[in-house]
Amino acid sequence: MVYDAEDTRRRIFDAAAAEFAEHGLAGARVDRIATAARANKQAIYLYYGSKEKLFAAVLRAKLEEVRVSVSLDPDAVAESVGQMFDWYREHPELIRLLLWEALEAGDEPGEGERERRDAFREKVHHLVDGGVACHLPEDARVRAAQDLLFTVMGLISWNFAVPGMCRLVLDEETDQAALARRRETVVEAARRLATANPAATPPARGG
């Protein structure tokens, strides 16, 4: 049988994503990743260099996945938030990875921080170009768009960071029932944020 390097990398990546989401960086074990991936440990170090670099590669790929899958449309904020909510419900591992990163990271900037910052700047400028906070000076528009983006991210992600707490607070029997309620609430909250902000829709240009 011909060795398929790309398939091996994919299996390692998938196994690592599951291992890191469950155990974090410190608690993850390369031997468990190798076993789940049906690969040897040497292949992991060959392709990724170290456990730390493998974690960074997994997190970077997951962030890129959500970036290309959904975005915050300045003309349809509520609808975009609903799509983002659904994406995170289908991919809960990203929230877990981000929580592990926050718990285990030191004070120094993490690997890929500049790349991730640039990606968020791109999202912010997309909102500004779409008319968010158009009544404000340019620098204030950027800050308003940053705040809107982070507020929306918080509205969505907390539901998946603490699903058990979500179920208890809402007094629902299952996580699924609680999340169904939360989706409606989060989308409505986003709609109100957009409509309450006169910058969400550019003013009409009169002749």
Side-chain angles (χ1 to χ4, degrees), residues 95-132:
I95 295 298
R96 295 174 191 149
L97 291 168
L98 289 170
L99 288 172
W100 281 118
E101 181 192 43
L103 286 169
E104 298 179 335
D107 295 332
E108 295 298 320
E111 183 175 344
E113 180 168 317
R114 177 175 296 181
E115 177 184 344
R116 288 159 64 177
R117 188 186 293 267
D118 288 344
F120 286 121
R121 284 173 175 163
E122 181 180 338
K123 289 178 181 292
V124 167
H125 286 300
H126 175 66
L127 291 171
V128 171
D129 292 343
V132 166

Side-chain angles (χ1 to χ4, degrees), residues 2 14 59 70 75 95 107 109 143 147 159 171-172 194 197:
V2 178
D14 292 343
L59 183 54
V70 290
D75 295 321
I95 295 298
D107 295 332
R143 293 176 65 86
D147 285 329
N159 301 283
D171 198 17
E172 293 286 355
N197 180 3

Side-chain angles (χ1 to χ4, degrees), residues 102-179:
L103 286 169
E104 298 179 335
D107 295 332
E108 295 298 320
E111 183 175 344
E113 180 168 317
R114 177 175 296 181
E115 177 184 344
R116 288 159 64 177
R117 188 186 293 267
D118 288 344
F120 286 121
R121 284 173 175 163
E122 181 180 338
K123 289 178 181 292
V124 167
H125 286 300
H126 175 66
L127 291 171
V128 171
D129 292 343
V132 166
C134 59
H135 65 298
L136 298 175
E138 183 175 354
D139 59 339
R141 291 180 65 191
V142 170
R143 293 176 65 86
Q146 290 168 336
D147 285 329
L148 175 62
L149 176 61
F150 195 73
T151 298
V152 165
M153 291 168 61
L155 280 171
I156 296 169
S157 62
W158 190 238
N159 301 283
F160 305 101
V162 288
M165 183 66 70
C166 177
R167 182 186 70 249
L168 293 175
V169 171
L170 299 186
D171 198 17
E172 293 286 355
E173 293 298 322
T174 66
D175 292 349
Q176 290 74 20
L179 286 176

Side-chain angles (χ1 to χ4, degrees), residues 16-155:
E19 176 76 7
F20 288 133
E22 183 173 356
H23 300 286
L25 175 57
R29 295 292 178 264
V30 174
D31 55 351
R32 285 199 298 254
I33 295 173
T35 299
R38 305 189 309 281
N40 58 56
K41 293 170 65 172
Q42 287 73 22
I44 294 175
Y45 292 118
L46 174 65
Y47 293 136
Y48 294 99
S50 67
K51 185 172 74 167
E52 291 74 17
K53 289 183 178 180
L54 177 55
F55 180 88
V58 168
L59 183 54
R60 182 169 57 250
K62 291 295 181 181
L63 287 169
E64 177 65 11
E65 187 178 342
V66 67
R67 186 188 73 82
V68 301
S69 297
V70 290
S71 62
L72 191 58
D73 184 348
D75 295 321
V77 171
E79 291 78 3
S80 297
V81 166
Q83 294 171 3
M84 293 169 68
F85 193 100
D86 293 339
W87 192 93
Y88 278 100
R89 180 162 50 188
E90 295 171 5
H91 303 84
E93 68 278 0
L94 177 55
I95 295 298
R96 295 174 191 149
L97 291 168
L98 289 170
L99 288 172
W100 281 118
E101 181 192 43
L103 286 169
E104 298 179 335
D107 295 332
E108 295 298 320
E111 183 175 344
E113 180 168 317
R114 177 175 296 181
E115 177 184 344
R116 288 159 64 177
R117 188 186 293 267
D118 288 344
F120 286 121
R121 284 173 175 163
E122 181 180 338
K123 289 178 181 292
V124 167
H125 286 300
H126 175 66
L127 291 171
V128 171
D129 292 343
V132 166
C134 59
H135 65 298
L136 298 175
E138 183 175 354
D139 59 339
R141 291 180 65 191
V142 170
R143 293 176 65 86
Q146 290 168 336
D147 285 329
L148 175 62
L149 176 61
F150 195 73
T151 298
V152 165
M153 291 168 61
L155 280 171

